[in-house]
Amino acid sequence: KAGVTQTPRYLIKTRGQQVTLSCSPISGHRSVSWYQQTPGQGLQFLFEYFSETQRNKGNFPGRFSGRQFSNSRSEMNVSTLELGDSALYLCASSLGGQGNYEQYFGPGTRLTVT
Amino acid sequence: AQSVAQPEDQVNVAEGNPLTVKCTYSVSGNPYLFWYVQYPNRGLQFLLKYITGDNLVKGSYGFEAEFNKSQTSFHLKKPSALVSDSALYFCAVRDILKAAGNKLTFGGGTRVLVKP
């Protein structure tokens, strides 16, 4: 089975721009979660989508948004980029359900905001 | 609110010696606990999980972890460390509340350095 894929792998954007990141989960997985990883804040939960519905949301401003499509693929969008948004964005997929399933992570998208 | 603490930023161990990475957690209910490993420029790889049952959980690559409810700990162990085990290790917890979905709270990570 193919693993979780994320595109693009690397991205450089300018402050004020917006960006869209894509995640394709493992086949059959219905839950997709997004995390932000930075040296200062560590791994922080952004949001989770399950069956096209946002099921949970972390403590991030409204500039961060996401969606999930009927094939479980997910995108996250960051508008009005700030320098502090520079991070590794990780997507994770899971069979879903009650949270006792492990999550499988993609390689991440490295976003640099200049 | 749920939280995870990994008290050691770095653990140094000689190849062939036992490896322990510490983790303590705080949840309002019963926990689901996970260990992940991250190699440079890679995503996180799942090692093992505790859901219920035996307190000693065996996982990938010879790793195991012991769940201790009274001490709210979930330490990761490996009897004989390899140089290739050098990486960043994360402990994570999920509170068993349906509303929480798959949200994981991670510890700050422990860098393991195994010297030949």
Side-chain angles (χ1 to χ4, degrees), chain A residues 15-78:
Chain A
R15 193 170 47 183
Q17 289 185 316
Q18 75 165 16
V19 67
T20 299
L21 311 181
S22 181
C23 171
S24 292
I26 292 171
S27 178
H29 285 192
R30 296 167 62 193
S31 167
V32 174
S33 298
W34 289 88
Y35 295 85
Q36 181 196 65
Q37 185 177 22
T38 59
Q41 299 299 316
L43 278 157
Q44 292 187 288
F45 174 80
L46 280 157
F47 30 65
E48 179 202 4
Y49 286 87
F50 180 75
S51 294
E52 302 179 64
T53 301
Q54 188 179 86
R55 183 156 69 170
N56 211 341
K57 191 177 189 303
N59 295 322
F60 280 82
R63 300 185 297 107
F64 291 81
S65 63
R67 59 178 176 169
Q68 186 179 34
F69 301 96
S70 58
N71 62 356
S72 294
R73 190 177 69 86
S74 177
E75 290 181 346
M76 68 163 282
N77 183 277
V78 187

Short mmCIF file of all heavy atoms in Angstrom, two decimals, chain A residues 15-78:
data_model
loop_
_atom_site.label_atom_id
_atom_site.label_comp_id
_atom_site.label_asym_id
_atom_site.label_seq_id
_atom_site.Cartn_x
_atom_site.Cartn_y
_atom_site.Cartn_z
N ARG A 15 5.63 36.89 2.60
CA ARG A 15 4.66 37.36 3.61
C ARG A 15 3.48 38.03 2.91
O ARG A 15 3.65 38.83 1.98
CB ARG A 15 5.37 38.35 4.53
CG ARG A 15 4.62 38.70 5.78
CD ARG A 15 5.51 39.48 6.72
NE ARG A 15 6.22 40.56 6.04
CZ ARG A 15 7.10 41.35 6.62
NH1 ARG A 15 7.42 41.16 7.89
NH2 ARG A 15 7.68 42.31 5.95
N GLY A 16 2.27 37.70 3.37
CA GLY A 16 1.07 38.26 2.79
C GLY A 16 0.42 37.37 1.74
O GLY A 16 -0.77 37.53 1.45
N GLN A 17 1.19 36.46 1.16
CA GLN A 17 0.61 35.55 0.17
C GLN A 17 -0.20 34.46 0.86
O GLN A 17 -0.26 34.38 2.08
CB GLN A 17 1.73 34.91 -0.66
CG GLN A 17 2.41 35.86 -1.62
CD GLN A 17 3.42 35.14 -2.50
OE1 GLN A 17 4.21 34.30 -2.04
NE2 GLN A 17 3.42 35.47 -3.79
N GLN A 18 -0.84 33.64 0.04
CA GLN A 18 -1.55 32.49 0.59
C GLN A 18 -0.97 31.22 -0.03
O GLN A 18 -0.29 31.26 -1.05
CB GLN A 18 -3.04 32.57 0.30
CG GLN A 18 -3.46 32.27 -1.11
CD GLN A 18 -4.96 32.01 -1.21
OE1 GLN A 18 -5.73 32.33 -0.31
NE2 GLN A 18 -5.39 31.45 -2.31
N VAL A 19 -1.22 30.10 0.63
CA VAL A 19 -0.65 28.84 0.17
C VAL A 19 -1.64 27.71 0.40
O VAL A 19 -2.44 27.75 1.35
CB VAL A 19 0.68 28.55 0.91
CG1 VAL A 19 0.44 28.30 2.39
CG2 VAL A 19 1.42 27.40 0.28
N THR A 20 -1.61 26.74 -0.49
CA THR A 20 -2.44 25.55 -0.35
C THR A 20 -1.55 24.31 -0.37
O THR A 20 -0.72 24.16 -1.28
CB THR A 20 -3.48 25.44 -1.48
OG1 THR A 20 -4.35 26.58 -1.42
CG2 THR A 20 -4.31 24.17 -1.32
N LEU A 21 -1.71 23.47 0.63
CA LEU A 21 -0.95 22.23 0.73
C LEU A 21 -1.90 21.06 0.54
O LEU A 21 -3.06 21.12 0.97
CB LEU A 21 -0.27 22.11 2.10
CG LEU A 21 0.51 23.34 2.59
CD1 LEU A 21 1.13 23.04 3.96
CD2 LEU A 21 1.56 23.74 1.59
N SER A 22 -1.39 19.99 -0.05
CA SER A 22 -2.24 18.86 -0.36
C SER A 22 -1.76 17.59 0.32
O SER A 22 -0.55 17.40 0.52
CB SER A 22 -2.28 18.64 -1.88
OG SER A 22 -3.11 17.55 -2.21
N CYS A 23 -2.71 16.74 0.66
CA CYS A 23 -2.40 15.48 1.34
C CYS A 23 -3.28 14.37 0.78
O CYS A 23 -4.51 14.51 0.74
CB CYS A 23 -2.63 15.62 2.84
SG CYS A 23 -2.52 14.08 3.77
N SER A 24 -2.66 13.28 0.37
CA SER A 24 -3.40 12.10 -0.06
C SER A 24 -3.19 11.00 0.97
O SER A 24 -2.06 10.55 1.16
CB SER A 24 -2.95 11.64 -1.44
OG SER A 24 -3.30 12.58 -2.43
N PRO A 25 -4.24 10.55 1.63
CA PRO A 25 -4.10 9.55 2.70
C PRO A 25 -3.89 8.16 2.13
O PRO A 25 -4.03 7.93 0.92
CB PRO A 25 -5.43 9.64 3.44
CG PRO A 25 -6.40 10.06 2.38
CD PRO A 25 -5.63 10.97 1.47
N ILE A 26 -3.57 7.25 3.03
CA ILE A 26 -3.48 5.84 2.66
C ILE A 26 -4.87 5.37 2.21
O ILE A 26 -5.89 5.76 2.80
CB ILE A 26 -2.98 5.01 3.85
CG1 ILE A 26 -1.52 5.38 4.14
CG2 ILE A 26 -3.13 3.52 3.60
CD1 ILE A 26 -0.98 4.77 5.43
N SER A 27 -4.89 4.54 1.19
CA SER A 27 -6.15 4.06 0.66
C SER A 27 -6.98 3.39 1.75
O SER A 27 -6.48 2.54 2.50
CB SER A 27 -5.87 3.04 -0.47
OG SER A 27 -7.08 2.52 -0.97
N GLY A 28 -8.24 3.81 1.85
CA GLY A 28 -9.13 3.24 2.86
C GLY A 28 -9.19 4.05 4.14
O GLY A 28 -10.09 3.84 4.97
N HIS A 29 -8.24 4.95 4.33
CA HIS A 29 -8.26 5.80 5.52
C HIS A 29 -9.22 6.96 5.32
O HIS A 29 -9.19 7.62 4.28
CB HIS A 29 -6.86 6.33 5.82
CG HIS A 29 -5.95 5.31 6.41
ND1 HIS A 29 -4.73 5.63 6.99
CD2 HIS A 29 -6.07 3.97 6.53
CE1 HIS A 29 -4.16 4.52 7.43
NE2 HIS A 29 -4.95 3.51 7.16
N ARG A 30 -10.05 7.22 6.33
CA ARG A 30 -11.05 8.26 6.20
C ARG A 30 -10.76 9.50 7.02
O ARG A 30 -11.40 10.53 6.87
CB ARG A 30 -12.41 7.69 6.60
CG ARG A 30 -12.89 6.56 5.69
CD ARG A 30 -14.06 5.82 6.29
NE ARG A 30 -15.20 6.70 6.48
CZ ARG A 30 -16.27 6.37 7.22
NH1 ARG A 30 -16.29 5.22 7.85
NH2 ARG A 30 -17.27 7.21 7.34
N SER A 31 -9.80 9.38 7.92
CA SER A 31 -9.45 10.52 8.78
C SER A 31 -8.13 11.11 8.33
O SER A 31 -7.15 10.39 8.10
CB SER A 31 -9.34 10.06 10.23
OG SER A 31 -8.73 11.06 11.02
N VAL A 32 -8.11 12.42 8.21
CA VAL A 32 -6.87 13.14 7.89
C VAL A 32 -6.70 14.25 8.91
O VAL A 32 -7.60 15.06 9.13
CB VAL A 32 -6.92 13.74 6.47
CG1 VAL A 32 -5.68 14.60 6.23
CG2 VAL A 32 -6.99 12.63 5.43
N SER A 33 -5.53 14.27 9.51
CA SER A 33 -5.20 15.32 10.49
C SER A 33 -4.00 16.10 9.99
O SER A 33 -3.14 15.56 9.28
CB SER A 33 -4.86 14.70 11.85
OG SER A 33 -5.97 14.01 12.38
N TRP A 34 -3.93 17.34 10.40
CA TRP A 34 -2.81 18.21 10.02
C TRP A 34 -2.13 18.71 11.29
O TRP A 34 -2.79 19.06 12.28
CB TRP A 34 -3.31 19.41 9.21
CG TRP A 34 -3.76 19.08 7.83
CD1 TRP A 34 -5.01 18.70 7.44
CD2 TRP A 34 -2.96 19.12 6.64
NE1 TRP A 34 -5.04 18.50 6.08
CE2 TRP A 34 -3.81 18.75 5.56
CE3 TRP A 34 -1.63 19.44 6.36
CZ2 TRP A 34 -3.35 18.68 4.23
CZ3 TRP A 34 -1.18 19.38 5.05
CH2 TRP A 34 -2.04 19.00 4.01
N TYR A 35 -0.80 18.74 11.25
CA TYR A 35 0.01 19.21 12.36
C TYR A 35 1.05 20.18 11.83
O TYR A 35 1.55 20.06 10.71
CB TYR A 35 0.73 18.05 13.06
CG TYR A 35 -0.20 17.07 13.73
CD1 TYR A 35 -0.76 16.03 13.02
CD2 TYR A 35 -0.48 17.18 15.10
CE1 TYR A 35 -1.62 15.12 13.65
CE2 TYR A 35 -1.32 16.28 15.72
CZ TYR A 35 -1.88 15.26 14.99
OH TYR A 35 -2.72 14.37 15.62
N GLN A 36 1.39 21.14 12.68
CA GLN A 36 2.48 22.07 12.38
C GLN A 36 3.65 21.74 13.30
O GLN A 36 3.47 21.56 14.50
CB GLN A 36 2.02 23.51 12.63
CG GLN A 36 3.09 24.55 12.31
CD GLN A 36 2.77 25.91 12.92
OE1 GLN A 36 2.73 26.06 14.14
NE2 GLN A 36 2.56 26.92 12.07
N GLN A 37 4.84 21.63 12.72
CA GLN A 37 6.03 21.35 13.52
C GLN A 37 7.03 22.49 13.38
O GLN A 37 7.48 22.80 12.26
CB GLN A 37 6.68 20.03 13.11
CG GLN A 37 7.85 19.64 14.00
CD GLN A 37 8.46 18.29 13.65
OE1 GLN A 37 8.32 17.80 12.53
NE2 GLN A 37 9.14 17.67 14.61
N THR A 38 7.39 23.10 14.49
CA THR A 38 8.39 24.15 14.52
C THR A 38 9.37 23.87 15.65
O THR A 38 9.02 23.20 16.63
CB THR A 38 7.77 25.54 14.76
OG1 THR A 38 7.07 25.52 16.01
CG2 THR A 38 6.80 25.91 13.66
N PRO A 39 10.59 24.37 15.54
CA PRO A 39 11.57 24.15 16.62
C PRO A 39 11.11 24.72 17.95
O PRO A 39 11.37 24.13 19.00
CB PRO A 39 12.82 24.86 16.11
CG PRO A 39 12.66 24.91 14.63
CD PRO A 39 11.20 25.05 14.39
N GLY A 40 10.40 25.83 17.93
CA GLY A 40 10.01 26.47 19.17
C GLY A 40 8.77 25.90 19.82
O GLY A 40 8.70 25.74 21.03
N GLN A 41 7.78 25.57 19.02
CA GLN A 41 6.48 25.10 19.54
C GLN A 41 6.30 23.59 19.43
O GLN A 41 5.32 23.05 19.96
CB GLN A 41 5.34 25.80 18.80
CG GLN A 41 5.34 27.31 18.95
CD GLN A 41 5.18 27.73 20.39
OE1 GLN A 41 4.36 27.18 21.13
NE2 GLN A 41 5.96 28.71 20.82
N GLY A 42 7.19 22.92 18.76
CA GLY A 42 7.06 21.48 18.61
C GLY A 42 5.94 21.11 17.66
O GLY A 42 5.66 21.83 16.70
N LEU A 43 5.30 19.99 17.94
CA LEU A 43 4.22 19.49 17.09
C LEU A 43 2.88 19.96 17.65
O LEU A 43 2.53 19.66 18.79
CB LEU A 43 4.23 17.96 17.07
CG LEU A 43 5.20 17.30 16.12
CD1 LEU A 43 5.51 15.88 16.57
CD2 LEU A 43 4.62 17.28 14.71
N GLN A 44 2.15 20.69 16.83
CA GLN A 44 0.86 21.22 17.27
C GLN A 44 -0.23 20.81 16.30
O GLN A 44 -0.07 20.92 15.09
CB GLN A 44 0.93 22.75 17.39
CG GLN A 44 1.84 23.24 18.49
CD GLN A 44 1.74 24.74 18.67
OE1 GLN A 44 2.20 25.51 17.84
NE2 GLN A 44 1.09 25.15 19.74
N PHE A 45 -1.35 20.39 16.85
CA PHE A 45 -2.49 19.94 16.07
C PHE A 45 -3.20 21.13 15.44
O PHE A 45 -3.52 22.12 16.12
CB PHE A 45 -3.43 19.18 17.00
CG PHE A 45 -4.73 18.78 16.39
CD1 PHE A 45 -4.82 17.66 15.58
CD2 PHE A 45 -5.88 19.50 16.65
CE1 PHE A 45 -6.03 17.28 15.03
CE2 PHE A 45 -7.09 19.13 16.11
CZ PHE A 45 -7.17 18.01 15.29
N LEU A 46 -3.46 21.01 14.14
CA LEU A 46 -4.19 22.06 13.44
C LEU A 46 -5.68 21.74 13.34
O LEU A 46 -6.52 22.48 13.83
CB LEU A 46 -3.62 22.25 12.03
CG LEU A 46 -2.34 23.08 11.94
CD1 LEU A 46 -1.56 22.75 10.67
CD2 LEU A 46 -2.68 24.56 11.97
N PHE A 47 -6.00 20.65 12.66
CA PHE A 47 -7.38 20.20 12.53
C PHE A 47 -7.42 18.77 12.00
O PHE A 47 -6.43 18.26 11.50
CB PHE A 47 -8.25 21.12 11.65
CG PHE A 47 -7.52 21.84 10.55
CD1 PHE A 47 -6.94 21.15 9.50
CD2 PHE A 47 -7.42 23.21 10.57
CE1 PHE A 47 -6.27 21.81 8.49
CE2 PHE A 47 -6.75 23.89 9.56
CZ PHE A 47 -6.18 23.19 8.52
N GLU A 48 -8.61 18.18 12.14
CA GLU A 48 -8.85 16.82 11.65
C GLU A 48 -10.12 16.81 10.81
O GLU A 48 -11.13 17.45 11.18
CB GLU A 48 -9.00 15.83 12.79
CG GLU A 48 -9.27 14.40 12.30
CD GLU A 48 -9.93 13.51 13.34
OE1 GLU A 48 -10.25 13.99 14.44
OE2 GLU A 48 -10.13 12.33 13.02
N TYR A 49 -10.07 16.08 9.73
CA TYR A 49 -11.24 15.88 8.89
C TYR A 49 -11.56 14.40 8.83
O TYR A 49 -10.67 13.55 8.73
CB TYR A 49 -11.01 16.43 7.48
CG TYR A 49 -11.05 17.93 7.46
CD1 TYR A 49 -9.90 18.67 7.72
CD2 TYR A 49 -12.23 18.62 7.24
CE1 TYR A 49 -9.94 20.05 7.75
CE2 TYR A 49 -12.29 20.00 7.25
CZ TYR A 49 -11.13 20.70 7.51
OH TYR A 49 -11.17 22.07 7.54
N PHE A 50 -12.85 14.13 8.91
CA PHE A 50 -13.33 12.74 8.84
C PHE A 50 -14.60 12.77 8.00
O PHE A 50 -15.55 13.49 8.34
CB PHE A 50 -13.60 12.20 10.24
CG PHE A 50 -14.10 10.80 10.27
CD1 PHE A 50 -13.23 9.74 10.03
CD2 PHE A 50 -15.43 10.51 10.53
CE1 PHE A 50 -13.68 8.44 10.06
CE2 PHE A 50 -15.88 9.22 10.56
CZ PHE A 50 -15.01 8.16 10.33
N SER A 51 -14.61 12.00 6.94
CA SER A 51 -15.77 11.96 6.04
C SER A 51 -16.21 13.36 5.64
O SER A 51 -17.40 13.71 5.74
CB SER A 51 -16.93 11.20 6.70
OG SER A 51 -16.59 9.84 6.88
N GLU A 52 -15.25 14.15 5.22
CA GLU A 52 -15.45 15.50 4.66
C GLU A 52 -15.90 16.53 5.68
O GLU A 52 -16.22 17.67 5.30
CB GLU A 52 -16.45 15.45 3.49
CG GLU A 52 -16.02 14.53 2.36
CD GLU A 52 -17.04 14.48 1.22
OE1 GLU A 52 -17.24 15.52 0.57
OE2 GLU A 52 -17.63 13.40 1.01
N THR A 53 -15.91 16.18 6.96
CA THR A 53 -16.34 17.11 8.01
C THR A 53 -15.19 17.38 8.95
O THR A 53 -14.46 16.46 9.33
CB THR A 53 -17.53 16.52 8.79
OG1 THR A 53 -18.61 16.27 7.89
CG2 THR A 53 -17.99 17.48 9.88
N GLN A 54 -15.05 18.64 9.33
CA GLN A 54 -14.03 18.96 10.32
C GLN A 54 -14.50 18.46 11.67
O GLN A 54 -15.52 18.93 12.22
CB GLN A 54 -13.77 20.47 10.37
CG GLN A 54 -12.58 20.83 11.25
CD GLN A 54 -12.31 22.34 11.30
OE1 GLN A 54 -12.90 23.05 12.09
NE2 GLN A 54 -11.42 22.79 10.43
N ARG A 55 -13.74 17.56 12.27
CA ARG A 55 -14.16 16.93 13.50
C ARG A 55 -13.52 17.59 14.72
O ARG A 55 -14.05 17.50 15.82
CB ARG A 55 -13.82 15.44 13.46
CG ARG A 55 -14.28 14.68 14.68
CD ARG A 55 -14.45 13.21 14.37
NE ARG A 55 -13.18 12.53 14.13
CZ ARG A 55 -13.10 11.20 14.03
NH1 ARG A 55 -14.16 10.45 14.14
NH2 ARG A 55 -11.94 10.63 13.78
N ASN A 56 -12.38 18.22 14.51
CA ASN A 56 -11.67 18.80 15.64
C ASN A 56 -10.77 19.91 15.12
O ASN A 56 -10.30 19.85 13.97
CB ASN A 56 -10.83 17.73 16.33
CG ASN A 56 -10.68 17.98 17.81
OD1 ASN A 56 -10.90 19.09 18.28
ND2 ASN A 56 -10.32 16.94 18.54
N LYS A 57 -10.52 20.89 15.94
CA LYS A 57 -9.71 22.02 15.51
C LYS A 57 -8.79 22.44 16.64
O LYS A 57 -9.19 22.47 17.81
CB LYS A 57 -10.61 23.20 15.12
CG LYS A 57 -9.88 24.33 14.42
CD LYS A 57 -10.87 25.41 13.99
CE LYS A 57 -10.21 26.45 13.09
NZ LYS A 57 -9.05 27.10 13.68
N GLY A 58 -7.56 22.75 16.31
CA GLY A 58 -6.60 23.23 17.29
C GLY A 58 -6.69 24.73 17.47
O GLY A 58 -7.57 25.39 16.92
N ASN A 59 -5.76 25.27 18.24
CA ASN A 59 -5.78 26.69 18.57
C ASN A 59 -4.95 27.51 17.59
O ASN A 59 -3.91 28.06 17.94
CB ASN A 59 -5.27 26.90 20.00
CG ASN A 59 -6.18 26.26 21.02
OD1 ASN A 59 -7.40 26.28 20.87
ND2 ASN A 59 -5.59 25.68 22.05
N PHE A 60 -5.42 27.58 16.39
CA PHE A 60 -4.77 28.37 15.35
C PHE A 60 -5.76 29.42 14.85
O PHE A 60 -6.97 29.23 14.89
CB PHE A 60 -4.31 27.47 14.20
CG PHE A 60 -3.02 26.76 14.47
CD1 PHE A 60 -3.00 25.60 15.22
CD2 PHE A 60 -1.81 27.26 13.99
CE1 PHE A 60 -1.80 24.95 15.49
CE2 PHE A 60 -0.61 26.62 14.25
CZ PHE A 60 -0.61 25.46 15.00
N PRO A 61 -5.21 30.55 14.35
CA PRO A 61 -6.11 31.59 13.85
C PRO A 61 -6.87 31.15 12.61
O PRO A 61 -6.54 30.15 11.96
CB PRO A 61 -5.15 32.74 13.53
CG PRO A 61 -3.80 32.13 13.40
CD PRO A 61 -3.80 30.93 14.29
N GLY A 62 -7.91 31.92 12.29
CA GLY A 62 -8.77 31.58 11.17
C GLY A 62 -8.08 31.60 9.82
O GLY A 62 -8.64 31.13 8.83
N ARG A 63 -6.85 32.14 9.77
CA ARG A 63 -6.09 32.12 8.51
C ARG A 63 -5.78 30.69 8.07
O ARG A 63 -5.49 30.45 6.91
CB ARG A 63 -4.77 32.88 8.69
CG ARG A 63 -4.90 34.33 9.07
CD ARG A 63 -3.55 35.01 9.10
NE ARG A 63 -2.63 34.47 10.09
CZ ARG A 63 -1.57 33.71 9.81
NH1 ARG A 63 -1.28 33.40 8.56
NH2 ARG A 63 -0.79 33.28 10.78
N PHE A 64 -5.83 29.79 9.01
CA PHE A 64 -5.58 28.38 8.71
C PHE A 64 -6.92 27.68 8.50
O PHE A 64 -7.79 27.70 9.36
CB PHE A 64 -4.84 27.71 9.86
CG PHE A 64 -3.43 28.19 10.04
CD1 PHE A 64 -3.17 29.37 10.72
CD2 PHE A 64 -2.35 27.47 9.53
CE1 PHE A 64 -1.87 29.84 10.88
CE2 PHE A 64 -1.05 27.91 9.69
CZ PHE A 64 -0.81 29.10 10.36
N SER A 65 -7.07 27.08 7.36
CA SER A 65 -8.31 26.38 7.07
C SER A 65 -8.00 25.12 6.29
O SER A 65 -6.89 24.93 5.79
CB SER A 65 -9.27 27.27 6.27
OG SER A 65 -8.69 27.60 5.01
N GLY A 66 -9.00 24.27 6.20
CA GLY A 66 -8.79 23.02 5.47
C GLY A 66 -10.08 22.51 4.91
O GLY A 66 -11.16 23.07 5.13
N ARG A 67 -9.95 21.44 4.16
CA ARG A 67 -11.14 20.76 3.67
C ARG A 67 -10.75 19.34 3.28
O ARG A 67 -9.56 19.03 3.10
CB ARG A 67 -11.75 21.49 2.48
CG ARG A 67 -10.84 21.66 1.26
CD ARG A 67 -11.57 22.36 0.14
NE ARG A 67 -10.70 22.63 -1.00
CZ ARG A 67 -11.17 23.04 -2.18
NH1 ARG A 67 -12.46 23.22 -2.37
NH2 ARG A 67 -10.33 23.28 -3.18
N GLN A 68 -11.77 18.52 3.15
CA GLN A 68 -11.54 17.13 2.72
C GLN A 68 -12.52 16.80 1.61
O GLN A 68 -13.70 17.18 1.68
CB GLN A 68 -11.73 16.17 3.90
CG GLN A 68 -11.35 14.73 3.55
CD GLN A 68 -11.52 13.79 4.73
OE1 GLN A 68 -12.41 13.96 5.56
NE2 GLN A 68 -10.65 12.79 4.83
N PHE A 69 -12.03 16.09 0.66
CA PHE A 69 -12.86 15.73 -0.51
C PHE A 69 -13.45 14.33 -0.32
O PHE A 69 -13.07 13.59 0.59
CB PHE A 69 -12.00 15.80 -1.77
CG PHE A 69 -11.41 17.16 -2.00
CD1 PHE A 69 -10.12 17.46 -1.58
CD2 PHE A 69 -12.13 18.17 -2.63
CE1 PHE A 69 -9.55 18.72 -1.77
CE2 PHE A 69 -11.59 19.42 -2.84
CZ PHE A 69 -10.31 19.70 -2.40
N SER A 70 -14.34 13.98 -1.21
CA SER A 70 -15.05 12.70 -1.08
C SER A 70 -14.11 11.50 -1.19
O SER A 70 -14.41 10.41 -0.70
CB SER A 70 -16.15 12.59 -2.13
OG SER A 70 -15.62 12.73 -3.43
N ASN A 71 -12.95 11.68 -1.81
CA ASN A 71 -11.98 10.58 -1.90
C ASN A 71 -11.00 10.59 -0.73
O ASN A 71 -9.98 9.90 -0.76
CB ASN A 71 -11.22 10.65 -3.23
CG ASN A 71 -10.40 11.93 -3.37
OD1 ASN A 71 -10.45 12.81 -2.50
ND2 ASN A 71 -9.68 12.05 -4.47
N SER A 72 -11.29 11.38 0.28
CA SER A 72 -10.52 11.54 1.53
C SER A 72 -9.27 12.40 1.38
O SER A 72 -8.64 12.69 2.39
CB SER A 72 -10.14 10.18 2.15
OG SER A 72 -11.29 9.51 2.58
N ARG A 73 -8.93 12.78 0.19
CA ARG A 73 -7.81 13.72 0.03
C ARG A 73 -8.13 15.02 0.75
O ARG A 73 -9.30 15.42 0.83
CB ARG A 73 -7.54 13.98 -1.45
CG ARG A 73 -6.25 14.75 -1.72
CD ARG A 73 -6.01 14.91 -3.23
NE ARG A 73 -6.96 15.81 -3.84
CZ ARG A 73 -6.82 17.14 -3.89
NH1 ARG A 73 -5.75 17.71 -3.34
NH2 ARG A 73 -7.74 17.89 -4.49
N SER A 74 -7.09 15.64 1.27
CA SER A 74 -7.33 16.86 2.05
C SER A 74 -6.39 17.97 1.60
O SER A 74 -5.29 17.71 1.08
CB SER A 74 -7.12 16.57 3.53
OG SER A 74 -7.28 17.74 4.32
N GLU A 75 -6.84 19.17 1.77
CA GLU A 75 -6.01 20.35 1.53
C GLU A 75 -6.09 21.25 2.75
O GLU A 75 -7.11 21.30 3.44
CB GLU A 75 -6.52 21.13 0.31
CG GLU A 75 -6.31 20.45 -1.02
CD GLU A 75 -6.81 21.30 -2.19
OE1 GLU A 75 -7.55 22.28 -1.96
OE2 GLU A 75 -6.46 20.96 -3.33
N MET A 76 -4.98 21.94 3.01
CA MET A 76 -5.03 23.00 3.99
C MET A 76 -4.56 24.29 3.33
O MET A 76 -3.71 24.26 2.44
CB MET A 76 -4.20 22.69 5.24
CG MET A 76 -2.71 22.63 5.08
SD MET A 76 -1.87 22.76 6.68
CE MET A 76 -1.97 24.49 7.02
N ASN A 77 -5.13 25.35 3.76
CA ASN A 77 -4.85 26.66 3.19
C ASN A 77 -4.42 27.62 4.30
O ASN A 77 -5.01 27.61 5.39
CB ASN A 77 -6.09 27.18 2.46
CG ASN A 77 -5.84 28.51 1.78
OD1 ASN A 77 -5.91 29.57 2.39
ND2 ASN A 77 -5.53 28.47 0.50
N VAL A 78 -3.41 28.38 4.01
CA VAL A 78 -3.01 29.44 4.93
C VAL A 78 -3.05 30.75 4.17
O VAL A 78 -2.37 30.89 3.13
CB VAL A 78 -1.61 29.22 5.51
CG1 VAL A 78 -1.33 30.26 6.61
CG2 VAL A 78 -1.46 27.82 6.06
#
